[in-house]
Amino acid sequence: AMIDDPAPGLALGRSVPSDSFSPPLFAAFCSPDLKVAMQRLSVFKPLLGPLTLDVAASDDALSVTYAAEDGLHLPSEFVATELVFLVSLARLATRADIEPLRVEMTEPPPAGPYDAYFGVRVRKADRNRLVFSARDAARPFLSVNPAMYAVFQPELRTRLEEMTREAPLADRLRAALMAALPSGRTAIGDVAPRLGLSARSLQRKLGEAGTSYQAELIALRTRLATD
């Protein structure tokens, strides 16, 4: 309301410059390509808020699904801001006019400015998602900087661990599984990185806590089926 703009999410999403110093975003800009940038953001997104990015790559496309933890409702313009920023990041880092193959939102804004910005129509769906072509996903980032990422990564992982240290691992796993279930990507290799762990480390820590990955997954599915 204060911006007095028919598409405030578009204005906000495009306003973050490439030199903005937010460590998780800086880590994304340091990536070699869009696929790696989205994977890094999916790991460190919790440092920016109770939000998740589910990233799925195939031979044909890169899918990025955006959601809130714990079933929080996200206003349409807030989601639009986030999706615009992800596309803006891709364009800034590659200096190419990247257009996603698909843009989906649970509550699409009115057609017009957003469709023009993305280059495709924003479609109504049961999730908030961007789909990029495999070619654009692999397009080199001009901002790639592996040396700087090597400096930031340990601190980012430490912050992630500190933020979630008080919560039992099983509770954090259940939250990660809830976010992953809609996409069907519930294999331990897909979920462990969301917790900042390798699959082996996650299984070992769960064993120390008296449970297992498969047991937690089955228990969650059973609870959801009976609720």
PDB file of all heavy atoms in Angstrom, residues 91-117:
ATOM      1  N   ARG A  91      19.403 -13.484 -14.080  1.00  0.00           N
ATOM      2  CA  ARG A  91      19.745 -12.529 -15.139  1.00  0.00           C
ATOM      3  C   ARG A  91      20.963 -11.695 -14.769  1.00  0.00           C
ATOM      4  O   ARG A  91      21.827 -11.441 -15.612  1.00  0.00           O
ATOM      5  CB  ARG A  91      18.536 -11.637 -15.422  1.00  0.00           C
ATOM      6  CG  ARG A  91      17.372 -12.391 -16.056  1.00  0.00           C
ATOM      7  CD  ARG A  91      16.137 -11.523 -16.194  1.00  0.00           C
ATOM      8  NE  ARG A  91      15.047 -12.264 -16.829  1.00  0.00           N
ATOM      9  CZ  ARG A  91      13.806 -11.800 -16.956  1.00  0.00           C
ATOM     10  NH1 ARG A  91      13.491 -10.597 -16.506  1.00  0.00           N
ATOM     11  NH2 ARG A  91      12.875 -12.538 -17.546  1.00  0.00           N
ATOM     12  N   LEU A  92      21.046 -11.277 -13.506  1.00  0.00           N
ATOM     13  CA  LEU A  92      22.192 -10.476 -13.075  1.00  0.00           C
ATOM     14  C   LEU A  92      23.491 -11.277 -13.156  1.00  0.00           C
ATOM     15  O   LEU A  92      24.519 -10.774 -13.603  1.00  0.00           O
ATOM     16  CB  LEU A  92      21.982  -9.989 -11.643  1.00  0.00           C
ATOM     17  CG  LEU A  92      21.032  -8.813 -11.435  1.00  0.00           C
ATOM     18  CD1 LEU A  92      20.737  -8.637  -9.944  1.00  0.00           C
ATOM     19  CD2 LEU A  92      21.632  -7.530 -11.998  1.00  0.00           C
ATOM     20  N   ALA A  93      23.443 -12.522 -12.703  1.00  0.00           N
ATOM     21  CA  ALA A  93      24.659 -13.332 -12.620  1.00  0.00           C
ATOM     22  C   ALA A  93      25.153 -13.797 -13.984  1.00  0.00           C
ATOM     23  O   ALA A  93      26.351 -14.009 -14.171  1.00  0.00           O
ATOM     24  CB  ALA A  93      24.427 -14.527 -11.708  1.00  0.00           C
ATOM     25  N   THR A  94      24.233 -13.965 -14.934  1.00  0.00           N
ATOM     26  CA  THR A  94      24.629 -14.449 -16.265  1.00  0.00           C
ATOM     27  C   THR A  94      24.703 -13.333 -17.293  1.00  0.00           C
ATOM     28  O   THR A  94      25.270 -13.519 -18.375  1.00  0.00           O
ATOM     29  CB  THR A  94      23.628 -15.498 -16.779  1.00  0.00           C
ATOM     30  OG1 THR A  94      22.326 -14.896 -16.892  1.00  0.00           O
ATOM     31  CG2 THR A  94      23.556 -16.699 -15.839  1.00  0.00           C
ATOM     32  N   ARG A  95      24.107 -12.182 -16.979  1.00  0.00           N
ATOM     33  CA  ARG A  95      23.967 -11.071 -17.932  1.00  0.00           C
ATOM     34  C   ARG A  95      23.244 -11.549 -19.199  1.00  0.00           C
ATOM     35  O   ARG A  95      23.527 -11.098 -20.307  1.00  0.00           O
ATOM     36  CB  ARG A  95      25.334 -10.479 -18.302  1.00  0.00           C
ATOM     37  CG  ARG A  95      26.100  -9.907 -17.130  1.00  0.00           C
ATOM     38  CD  ARG A  95      25.364  -8.757 -16.462  1.00  0.00           C
ATOM     39  NE  ARG A  95      26.198  -8.076 -15.472  1.00  0.00           N
ATOM     40  CZ  ARG A  95      26.309  -8.402 -14.187  1.00  0.00           C
ATOM     41  NH1 ARG A  95      25.607  -9.429 -13.722  1.00  0.00           N
ATOM     42  NH2 ARG A  95      27.082  -7.727 -13.368  1.00  0.00           N
ATOM     43  N   ALA A  96      22.290 -12.451 -18.994  1.00  0.00           N
ATOM     44  CA  ALA A  96      21.476 -12.959 -20.099  1.00  0.00           C
ATOM     45  C   ALA A  96      20.007 -12.759 -19.751  1.00  0.00           C
ATOM     46  O   ALA A  96      19.628 -12.780 -18.572  1.00  0.00           O
ATOM     47  CB  ALA A  96      21.759 -14.438 -20.355  1.00  0.00           C
ATOM     48  N   ASP A  97      19.175 -12.564 -20.742  1.00  0.00           N
ATOM     49  CA  ASP A  97      17.749 -12.330 -20.517  1.00  0.00           C
ATOM     50  C   ASP A  97      17.034 -13.669 -20.342  1.00  0.00           C
ATOM     51  O   ASP A  97      16.258 -14.106 -21.195  1.00  0.00           O
ATOM     52  CB  ASP A  97      17.153 -11.544 -21.688  1.00  0.00           C
ATOM     53  CG  ASP A  97      15.738 -11.063 -21.375  1.00  0.00           C
ATOM     54  OD1 ASP A  97      15.387 -11.020 -20.178  1.00  0.00           O
ATOM     55  OD2 ASP A  97      14.995 -10.755 -22.326  1.00  0.00           O
ATOM     56  N   ILE A  98      17.298 -14.329 -19.226  1.00  0.00           N
ATOM     57  CA  ILE A  98      16.729 -15.647 -18.958  1.00  0.00           C
ATOM     58  C   ILE A  98      15.227 -15.528 -18.698  1.00  0.00           C
ATOM     59  O   ILE A  98      14.783 -14.697 -17.902  1.00  0.00           O
ATOM     60  CB  ILE A  98      17.432 -16.299 -17.765  1.00  0.00           C
ATOM     61  CG1 ILE A  98      18.861 -16.691 -18.153  1.00  0.00           C
ATOM     62  CG2 ILE A  98      16.657 -17.507 -17.257  1.00  0.00           C
ATOM     63  CD1 ILE A  98      19.666 -17.286 -17.022  1.00  0.00           C
ATOM     64  N   GLU A  99      14.459 -16.371 -19.360  1.00  0.00           N
ATOM     65  CA  GLU A  99      13.016 -16.449 -19.145  1.00  0.00           C
ATOM     66  C   GLU A  99      12.678 -17.866 -18.693  1.00  0.00           C
ATOM     67  O   GLU A  99      13.059 -18.835 -19.356  1.00  0.00           O
ATOM     68  CB  GLU A  99      12.250 -16.117 -20.422  1.00  0.00           C
ATOM     69  CG  GLU A  99      12.401 -14.666 -20.869  1.00  0.00           C
ATOM     70  CD  GLU A  99      11.549 -14.354 -22.092  1.00  0.00           C
ATOM     71  OE1 GLU A  99      10.963 -15.304 -22.670  1.00  0.00           O
ATOM     72  OE2 GLU A  99      11.473 -13.169 -22.468  1.00  0.00           O
ATOM     73  N   PRO A 100      12.001 -18.011 -17.563  1.00  0.00           N
ATOM     74  CA  PRO A 100      11.614 -19.356 -17.120  1.00  0.00           C
ATOM     75  C   PRO A 100      10.638 -20.001 -18.093  1.00  0.00           C
ATOM     76  O   PRO A 100       9.904 -19.312 -18.813  1.00  0.00           O
ATOM     77  CB  PRO A 100      10.964 -19.102 -15.758  1.00  0.00           C
ATOM     78  CG  PRO A 100      10.555 -17.664 -15.782  1.00  0.00           C
ATOM     79  CD  PRO A 100      11.533 -16.958 -16.659  1.00  0.00           C
ATOM     80  N   LEU A 101      10.640 -21.332 -18.120  1.00  0.00           N
ATOM     81  CA  LEU A 101       9.695 -22.062 -18.959  1.00  0.00           C
ATOM     82  C   LEU A 101       8.282 -21.965 -18.393  1.00  0.00           C
ATOM     83  O   LEU A 101       7.312 -21.877 -19.133  1.00  0.00           O
ATOM     84  CB  LEU A 101      10.104 -23.534 -19.063  1.00  0.00           C
ATOM     85  CG  LEU A 101      11.468 -23.829 -19.678  1.00  0.00           C
ATOM     86  CD1 LEU A 101      11.743 -25.334 -19.630  1.00  0.00           C
ATOM     87  CD2 LEU A 101      11.527 -23.324 -21.119  1.00  0.00           C
ATOM     88  N   ARG A 102       8.203 -21.999 -17.048  1.00  0.00           N
ATOM     89  CA  ARG A 102       6.909 -21.932 -16.379  1.00  0.00           C
ATOM     90  C   ARG A 102       7.038 -21.118 -15.101  1.00  0.00           C
ATOM     91  O   ARG A 102       8.066 -21.169 -14.417  1.00  0.00           O
ATOM     92  CB  ARG A 102       6.381 -23.332 -16.020  1.00  0.00           C
ATOM     93  CG  ARG A 102       6.018 -24.197 -17.201  1.00  0.00           C
ATOM     94  CD  ARG A 102       5.471 -25.542 -16.737  1.00  0.00           C
ATOM     95  NE  ARG A 102       4.203 -25.413 -16.030  1.00  0.00           N
ATOM     96  CZ  ARG A 102       3.011 -25.404 -16.637  1.00  0.00           C
ATOM     97  NH1 ARG A 102       2.952 -25.485 -17.956  1.00  0.00           N
ATOM     98  NH2 ARG A 102       1.904 -25.310 -15.935  1.00  0.00           N
ATOM     99  N   VAL A 103       5.975 -20.393 -14.775  1.00  0.00           N
ATOM    100  CA  VAL A 103       5.864 -19.699 -13.491  1.00  0.00           C
ATOM    101  C   VAL A 103       4.493 -20.067 -12.925  1.00  0.00           C
ATOM    102  O   VAL A 103       3.469 -19.824 -13.573  1.00  0.00           O
ATOM    103  CB  VAL A 103       5.982 -18.172 -13.633  1.00  0.00           C
ATOM    104  CG1 VAL A 103       5.857 -17.511 -12.260  1.00  0.00           C
ATOM    105  CG2 VAL A 103       7.296 -17.783 -14.296  1.00  0.00           C
ATOM    106  N   GLU A 104       4.475 -20.652 -11.739  1.00  0.00           N
ATOM    107  CA  GLU A 104       3.232 -21.098 -11.124  1.00  0.00           C
ATOM    108  C   GLU A 104       3.096 -20.498  -9.733  1.00  0.00           C
ATOM    109  O   GLU A 104       4.071 -20.401  -8.986  1.00  0.00           O
ATOM    110  CB  GLU A 104       3.207 -22.622 -11.022  1.00  0.00           C
ATOM    111  CG  GLU A 104       3.304 -23.336 -12.364  1.00  0.00           C
ATOM    112  CD  GLU A 104       3.444 -24.832 -12.240  1.00  0.00           C
ATOM    113  OE1 GLU A 104       3.775 -25.314 -11.124  1.00  0.00           O
ATOM    114  OE2 GLU A 104       3.231 -25.524 -13.249  1.00  0.00           O
ATOM    115  N   MET A 105       1.877 -20.100  -9.381  1.00  0.00           N
ATOM    116  CA  MET A 105       1.594 -19.561  -8.053  1.00  0.00           C
ATOM    117  C   MET A 105       0.238 -20.059  -7.589  1.00  0.00           C
ATOM    118  O   MET A 105      -0.677 -20.250  -8.396  1.00  0.00           O
ATOM    119  CB  MET A 105       1.615 -18.030  -8.064  1.00  0.00           C
ATOM    120  CG  MET A 105       2.989 -17.416  -8.267  1.00  0.00           C
ATOM    121  SD  MET A 105       2.937 -15.586  -8.303  1.00  0.00           S
ATOM    122  CE  MET A 105       2.240 -15.214  -6.685  1.00  0.00           C
ATOM    123  N   THR A 106       0.115 -20.240  -6.268  1.00  0.00           N
ATOM    124  CA  THR A 106      -1.181 -20.659  -5.728  1.00  0.00           C
ATOM    125  C   THR A 106      -2.198 -19.524  -5.818  1.00  0.00           C
ATOM    126  O   THR A 106      -3.396 -19.764  -5.909  1.00  0.00           O
ATOM    127  CB  THR A 106      -1.039 -21.109  -4.264  1.00  0.00           C
ATOM    128  OG1 THR A 106      -0.469 -20.035  -3.498  1.00  0.00           O
ATOM    129  CG2 THR A 106      -0.127 -22.326  -4.161  1.00  0.00           C
ATOM    130  N   GLU A 107      -1.702 -18.287  -5.766  1.00  0.00           N
ATOM    131  CA  GLU A 107      -2.563 -17.108  -5.895  1.00  0.00           C
ATOM    132  C   GLU A 107      -1.918 -16.148  -6.891  1.00  0.00           C
ATOM    133  O   GLU A 107      -1.259 -15.180  -6.492  1.00  0.00           O
ATOM    134  CB  GLU A 107      -2.751 -16.430  -4.532  1.00  0.00           C
ATOM    135  CG  GLU A 107      -3.381 -17.318  -3.476  1.00  0.00           C
ATOM    136  CD  GLU A 107      -3.422 -16.647  -2.107  1.00  0.00           C
ATOM    137  OE1 GLU A 107      -3.223 -15.417  -2.040  1.00  0.00           O
ATOM    138  OE2 GLU A 107      -3.643 -17.355  -1.123  1.00  0.00           O
ATOM    139  N   PRO A 108      -2.076 -16.381  -8.175  1.00  0.00           N
ATOM    140  CA  PRO A 108      -1.416 -15.531  -9.177  1.00  0.00           C
ATOM    141  C   PRO A 108      -1.916 -14.090  -9.112  1.00  0.00           C
ATOM    142  O   PRO A 108      -3.107 -13.850  -8.872  1.00  0.00           O
ATOM    143  CB  PRO A 108      -1.816 -16.173 -10.511  1.00  0.00           C
ATOM    144  CG  PRO A 108      -2.293 -17.546 -10.164  1.00  0.00           C
ATOM    145  CD  PRO A 108      -2.876 -17.445  -8.799  1.00  0.00           C
ATOM    146  N   PRO A 109      -1.016 -13.120  -9.309  1.00  0.00           N
ATOM    147  CA  PRO A 109      -1.444 -11.724  -9.390  1.00  0.00           C
ATOM    148  C   PRO A 109      -2.148 -11.498 -10.724  1.00  0.00           C
ATOM    149  O   PRO A 109      -2.073 -12.343 -11.627  1.00  0.00           O
ATOM    150  CB  PRO A 109      -0.129 -10.953  -9.314  1.00  0.00           C
ATOM    151  CG  PRO A 109       0.878 -11.900  -9.889  1.00  0.00           C
ATOM    152  CD  PRO A 109       0.430 -13.273  -9.474  1.00  0.00           C
ATOM    153  N   PRO A 110      -2.841 -10.370 -10.880  1.00  0.00           N
ATOM    154  CA  PRO A 110      -3.495 -10.077 -12.157  1.00  0.00           C
ATOM    155  C   PRO A 110      -2.478 -10.089 -13.305  1.00  0.00           C
ATOM    156  O   PRO A 110      -1.324  -9.699 -13.139  1.00  0.00           O
ATOM    157  CB  PRO A 110      -4.077  -8.674 -11.946  1.00  0.00           C
ATOM    158  CG  PRO A 110      -4.237  -8.552 -10.472  1.00  0.00           C
ATOM    159  CD  PRO A 110      -3.094  -9.321  -9.873  1.00  0.00           C
ATOM    160  N   ALA A 111      -2.913 -10.582 -14.448  1.00  0.00           N
ATOM    161  CA  ALA A 111      -2.029 -10.622 -15.624  1.00  0.00           C
ATOM    162  C   ALA A 111      -1.599  -9.215 -15.992  1.00  0.00           C
ATOM    163  O   ALA A 111      -2.336  -8.249 -15.800  1.00  0.00           O
ATOM    164  CB  ALA A 111      -2.761 -11.271 -16.799  1.00  0.00           C
ATOM    165  N   GLY A 112      -0.393  -9.105 -16.483  1.00  0.00           N
ATOM    166  CA  GLY A 112       0.110  -7.795 -16.885  1.00  0.00           C
ATOM    167  C   GLY A 112       1.590  -7.664 -16.623  1.00  0.00           C
ATOM    168  O   GLY A 112       2.409  -8.306 -17.291  1.00  0.00           O
ATOM    169  N   PRO A 113       1.980  -6.842 -15.617  1.00  0.00           N
ATOM    170  CA  PRO A 113       3.410  -6.572 -15.390  1.00  0.00           C
ATOM    171  C   PRO A 113       4.238  -7.823 -15.119  1.00  0.00           C
ATOM    172  O   PRO A 113       5.367  -7.937 -15.611  1.00  0.00           O
ATOM    173  CB  PRO A 113       3.395  -5.639 -14.174  1.00  0.00           C
ATOM    174  CG  PRO A 113       2.054  -4.996 -14.193  1.00  0.00           C
ATOM    175  CD  PRO A 113       1.124  -6.033 -14.732  1.00  0.00           C
ATOM    176  N   TYR A 114       3.696  -8.756 -14.339  1.00  0.00           N
ATOM    177  CA  TYR A 114       4.474  -9.956 -14.013  1.00  0.00           C
ATOM    178  C   TYR A 114       4.685 -10.834 -15.245  1.00  0.00           C
ATOM    179  O   TYR A 114       5.782 -11.362 -15.474  1.00  0.00           O
ATOM    180  CB  TYR A 114       3.796 -10.749 -12.895  1.00  0.00           C
ATOM    181  CG  TYR A 114       3.870 -10.065 -11.554  1.00  0.00           C
ATOM    182  CD1 TYR A 114       2.770  -9.391 -11.032  1.00  0.00           C
ATOM    183  CD2 TYR A 114       5.052 -10.062 -10.823  1.00  0.00           C
ATOM    184  CE1 TYR A 114       2.836  -8.748  -9.807  1.00  0.00           C
ATOM    185  CE2 TYR A 114       5.131  -9.426  -9.597  1.00  0.00           C
ATOM    186  CZ  TYR A 114       4.022  -8.760  -9.091  1.00  0.00           C
ATOM    187  OH  TYR A 114       4.100  -8.119  -7.885  1.00  0.00           O
ATOM    188  N   ASP A 115       3.637 -11.008 -16.042  1.00  0.00           N
ATOM    189  CA  ASP A 115       3.773 -11.805 -17.264  1.00  0.00           C
ATOM    190  C   ASP A 115       4.825 -11.195 -18.174  1.00  0.00           C
ATOM    191  O   ASP A 115       5.645 -11.905 -18.776  1.00  0.00           O
ATOM    192  CB  ASP A 115       2.432 -11.878 -18.006  1.00  0.00           C
ATOM    193  CG  ASP A 115       1.375 -12.643 -17.224  1.00  0.00           C
ATOM    194  OD1 ASP A 115       1.713 -13.200 -16.166  1.00  0.00           O
ATOM    195  OD2 ASP A 115       0.215 -12.676 -17.670  1.00  0.00           O
ATOM    196  N   ALA A 116       4.825  -9.868 -18.260  1.00  0.00           N
ATOM    197  CA  ALA A 116       5.793  -9.185 -19.115  1.00  0.00           C
ATOM    198  C   ALA A 116       7.211  -9.373 -18.584  1.00  0.00           C
ATOM    199  O   ALA A 116       8.163  -9.569 -19.360  1.00  0.00           O
ATOM    200  CB  ALA A 116       5.455  -7.695 -19.212  1.00  0.00           C
ATOM    201  N   TYR A 117       7.374  -9.336 -17.270  1.00  0.00           N
ATOM    202  CA  TYR A 117       8.709  -9.482 -16.696  1.00  0.00           C
ATOM    203  C   TYR A 117       9.246 -10.898 -16.887  1.00  0.00           C
ATOM    204  O   TYR A 117      10.391 -11.089 -17.322  1.00  0.00           O
ATOM    205  CB  TYR A 117       8.691  -9.138 -15.207  1.00  0.00           C
ATOM    206  CG  TYR A 117      10.046  -9.334 -14.560  1.00  0.00           C
ATOM    207  CD1 TYR A 117      11.066  -8.405 -14.755  1.00  0.00           C
ATOM    208  CD2 TYR A 117      10.317 -10.460 -13.793  1.00  0.00           C
ATOM    209  CE1 TYR A 117      12.322  -8.592 -14.193  1.00  0.00           C
ATOM    210  CE2 TYR A 117      11.566 -10.654 -13.223  1.00  0.00           C
ATOM    211  CZ  TYR A 117      12.568  -9.713 -13.426  1.00  0.00           C
ATOM    212  OH  TYR A 117      13.807  -9.920 -12.876  1.00  0.00           O
TER     213      TYR A 117
END
